[in-house]
Amino acid sequence: MYSLQFGTLAVEAYFPVSGIPSIITEWSALIPLVAHLAHYGENNRMIGELALEGYFSVGLFPKLGYLDGLRKLLQDGPDFMDRANAEASYKVWDVNWGSVFTRANGSAITILTEYALRKHRQPIQMPEKVTLHSGPPPGSLSRANVAPLPKVVTTPSFRRHQDLHVVYMSRNNHTSSIRGTLLLSLLSWTGELMYHLVLLGLVVVFCLLGAFGTAAVVGTGLVSAMVCKTLQTKRPSGYLSNNEKHDACMLSAVHDNAQTWYLYMGDRGVIDWMLNKTMLQTPWANRLQIAYFRIAHALQISAMTFVAAQKGVDGLCLLVLLALTYGFHYLSVPTRGHDNGSRQSKYPSMRTPSDLAVEPP
């Protein structure tokens, strides 16, 4: 029997909520589950975020498969990171050395590139024709001793345009904005304590409203974040160091015949570590910690499917939680790269002079 006010189980809440149309409660119960299943198992994205952050973390409402991905990373270590890097299959060409390799650190460089290109959407069209001079260049032989170039008749043909995104990277950090200052304050010891207390209060509020599934989701994320604090991580030796005296120039694309290309130029230490070297060492974890993330993954799946079956106010609360998670993630993207010690942003300075629409020769 389904009760609009109390859900499928018809368990009376301490603070009942009534007057919600049934279509909204049933629809709200399905949206979070479908949204998470649509992005299930994004190990490449997870590795990229962890590489930028420099430590293990769990958000307010982790995606399905994220907790199990942490378990696999702790259990398999570098082997899991290699498989996660191979998911995106991006190739990199080092222009200076001629070497070709697969991107390292998951989607770390993709996250930075998306942030750098967020306001550069209008491409610059390259000219279709280039004026050729039939005579010799100034200062060379006279025109009388040089045979004229033959005239080439060109016919209209198919043009396959390609986009080239040019990104300059350096070690200089941008000036902190008001939003960045507020977000970094949340990463302090006091801010994290207040954040955990707020989550604990949300668990109590959801239970009083009868949203037991949503309360279980928040509780699982809270305990998982505390377990991540027990994992000691560190950067590899020589992190962001440069053993060359010249800047980097690396070209990246999905494959050799791609239509979208990315050219990374600037500080070689930053670019080489982003694209070619592992930025995060896998911490040692005991069997209890690994087993916890396996159990937490099962609990999250159980809680979300419970909400889909329970409906009622539980589904509406989970949808609100999902919206808050997306909003907080959007606001925190520019300031998420920091280390445990300094808490300073590790995002390199990036500028994009232009996005060029070019043609193959």
Side-chain angles (χ1 to χ4, degrees):
M1 180 179 179
Y2 173 69
S3 173
L4 176 61
Q5 183 174 351
F6 306 122
T8 303
L9 296 179
V11 178
E12 186 174 356
Y14 190 81
F15 294 118
V17 179
S18 59
I20 305 176
S22 59
I23 182 63
I24 294 180
T25 58
E26 296 190 23
W27 197 6
S28 300
L30 293 176
I31 290 178
L33 182 61
V34 173
H36 275 230
L37 289 176
H39 299 88
Y40 181 83
E42 290 186 336
N43 295 327
N44 186 268
R45 187 82 178 184
M46 181 192 71
I47 293 296
E49 293 177 351
L50 295 179
L52 292 176
E53 291 175 346
Y55 66 96
F56 279 52
S57 64
V58 175
L60 176 63
F61 188 5
K63 294 181 180 179
L64 278 178
Y66 186 88
L67 299 177
D68 192 53
L70 291 180
R71 190 266 307 174
K72 294 178 181 178
L73 178 59
L74 294 174
Q75 183 173 319
D76 300 336
D79 180 66
F80 176 79
M81 298 185 69
D82 292 339
R83 286 184 275 111
N85 291 331
E87 288 181 2
S89 67
Y90 268 88
K91 298 178 66 176
V92 180
W93 290 263
D94 192 328
V95 178
N96 294 322
W97 295 95
S99 57
V100 182
F101 50 88
T102 303
R103 280 186 186 181
N105 303 303
S107 60
I109 193 66
T110 301
I111 297 174
L112 294 181
T113 304
E114 290 174 352
Y115 174 65
L117 299 178
R118 69 195 187 283
K119 295 181 180 179
H120 297 77
R121 300 300 181 187
Q122 186 64 32
I124 299 176
Q125 189 73 28
M126 299 298 290
E128 291 283 343
K129 298 180 180 180
V130 178
T131 303
L132 298 177
H133 298 280
S134 58
S140 62
L141 300 177
S142 62
R143 295 178 60 92
N145 300 328
V146 179
L149 295 176
K151 295 183 179 180
V152 179
V153 179
T154 59
T155 57
S157 60
F158 170 74
R159 300 287 187 179
R160 190 177 71 90
H161 294 277
Q162 294 176 299
D163 294 331
L164 175 63
H165 302 283
V166 183
V167 181
Y168 287 93
M169 305 183 71
S170 67
R171 295 174 183 264
N172 298 324
N173 289 326
H174 295 291
T175 304
S176 299
S177 61
I178 298 177
R179 183 186 67 178
T181 303
L182 293 175
L183 290 173
L184 289 177
S185 65
L186 294 177
L187 300 174
S188 62
W189 185 86
T190 306
E192 289 184 353
L193 179 61
M194 294 298 297
Y195 174 74
H196 291 159
L197 290 177
V198 169
L199 291 185
L200 187 60
L202 281 178
V203 173
V204 176
V205 171
F206 286 143
C207 290
L208 293 177
L209 293 176
F212 302 109
T214 306
V217 170
V218 177
T220 301
L222 176 60
V223 177
S224 299
M226 297 177 65
V227 173
C228 286
K229 295 296 181 182
T230 64
L231 299 172
Q232 300 297 326
T233 58
K234 61 179 181 179
R235 297 294 192 182
S237 58
Y239 175 64
L240 294 185
S241 61
N242 183 17
N243 55 0
E244 303 291 341
K245 296 183 179 181
H246 56 82
D247 287 342
C249 183
M250 297 189 183
L251 195 64
S252 180
V254 177
H255 52 78
D256 298 17
N257 199 31
Q259 290 188 248
T260 303
W261 293 78
Y262 301 91
L263 180 62
Y264 299 98
M265 304 175 64
D267 190 291
R268 181 173 179 82
V270 174
I271 297 177
D272 190 42
W273 276 87
M274 286 284 176
L275 294 174
N276 192 28
K277 299 178 181 178
T278 302
M279 298 170 56
L280 181 67
Q281 290 183 346
T282 305
W284 179 86
N286 55 43
R287 294 182 178 180
L288 183 61
Q289 292 169 321
I290 295 176
Y292 166 77
F293 285 109
R294 185 191 298 272
I295 297 174
H297 172 64
L299 289 176
Q300 186 185 18
I301 293 179
S302 301
M304 294 190 67
T305 52
F306 172 82
V307 172
Q310 168 70 353
K311 305 173 185 177
V313 71
D314 208 349
L316 189 61
C317 289
L318 191 62
L319 181 61
V320 173
L321 182 65
L322 180 66
L324 291 176
T325 302
Y326 283 163
F328 184 77
H329 183 270
Y330 173 79
L331 294 175
S332 63
V333 164
T335 56
R336 292 188 66 185
H338 54 272
D339 279 339
N340 287 331
S342 63
R343 298 292 182 183
Q344 296 177 352
S345 175
K346 292 298 180 182
Y347 271 34
S349 175
M350 297 168 293
R351 54 191 178 93
T352 54
S354 60
D355 297 341
L356 308 177
V358 302
E359 298 176 4

